Amino acid sequence: MNAVLYVVTVLIWGSTWLAIKGQLGDVHPTASIAYRFALAAVILLAWARLRGLPLRYPLRVHGQFVLMGGLMFSTNFVCFYFAEQHLTTGLVSITFAMSLPVNMVFGRVFFRRSITTKMLVGGAVGLLGISTVFWPEFQNFGFSSGSGQGIVLSAIGTLVFCLGNVVSGKTQAAGIPVVQGTGYAMAYGALLMAPFAAFSGHGALFQLSLQYTGSLLYLAVFGSVVGFGAYLTLLGRIGGERAAYAMVLFPIVALLLSTMFEKFTWTARDLAGVALILIGNAVMLINPALLRRLTGRPAPAEPTTPATADR
């Protein structure tokens, strides 16, 4: 189940960066974000209602939903939508991949989870691979340029997203199911965006083009309902620091889509970077017992104590 959730998260979220491009245009980004999560919230809460799942929670729990919505389903997406006005989808996804080490640190600070050598090595190798693939774009980085502003916005969005992971982890630990918790948080995120959508910027309130409506439906149904459902379920099962390694694989999906739709040309550097990402992924996620079987190494001996000696 963890493997299925992981693959679904990588494939769907890896494609949403390209879909977000279809939202940029005459409609202000805050309005697009409000539409996306309002639709996703309706789907999730209607599904919970049809299944007879509990939808009443104390005011204190709704406060957690508001905080989660403000972090994961509004503020961070404002940063990412505006960042994609200055950066390619690949570079935004690179910055978002930094949620891996940030989630490790937050997992240690807020949940007292240990940071193992395997996690550090796997994360470092994966991020090295990402840097290898997109090295030319890093060379053109400058704080005074549009790309510099985009990277700063992406970094802020990533940090806010990771704080949202902490809130989500705590709500799941308190026994709040993913469907109801995510549905309410998305609803509150859309409500927080509504005033900004009404009074910010100029242009159309909605765009009836195939590109805009199609990308909106994809982002709401797949990117939000399915993608966030898979990711947050995975987060509750294996922890944020391991679940976040999916972000390291997003650029690979983005590159493949760019090859298909944007005529991206692969180089030796790109292939080397992808190889490093896959190696880092294996180091991070492989089960130690499986690794011992593959290498033929014996399992560690059980420590001998007087009790075990008597047995």
Side-chain angles (χ1 to χ4, degrees), residues 132-174:
T132 301
V133 171
F134 293 98
W135 180 247
E137 295 185 271
F138 282 124
Q139 287 181 311
N140 297 326
F141 174 80
F143 285 105
S144 60
S145 64
S147 62
Q149 297 173 21
I151 290 179
V152 170
L153 286 170
S154 298
I156 295 173
T158 300
L159 180 63
V160 172
F161 172 81
C162 292
L163 288 172
N165 282 344
V166 173
V167 179
S168 176
K170 288 185 177 296
T171 57
Q172 290 190 58

Side-chain angles (χ1 to χ4, degrees), residues 19-20 22-23 27 31-40 43 81 205-207 209-224:
I20 287 174
Q23 297 283 281
V27 181
S32 297
I33 296 168
Y35 296 147
R36 170 181 177 177
F37 290 115
L39 179 57
I43 294 172
Y81 274 56
L205 291 177
F206 196 84
Q207 189 174 339
S209 67
L210 179 61
Q211 174 179 305
Y212 184 84
T213 55
S215 60
L216 177 63
L217 289 173
Y218 180 82
L219 289 169
V221 177
F222 291 96
S224 301

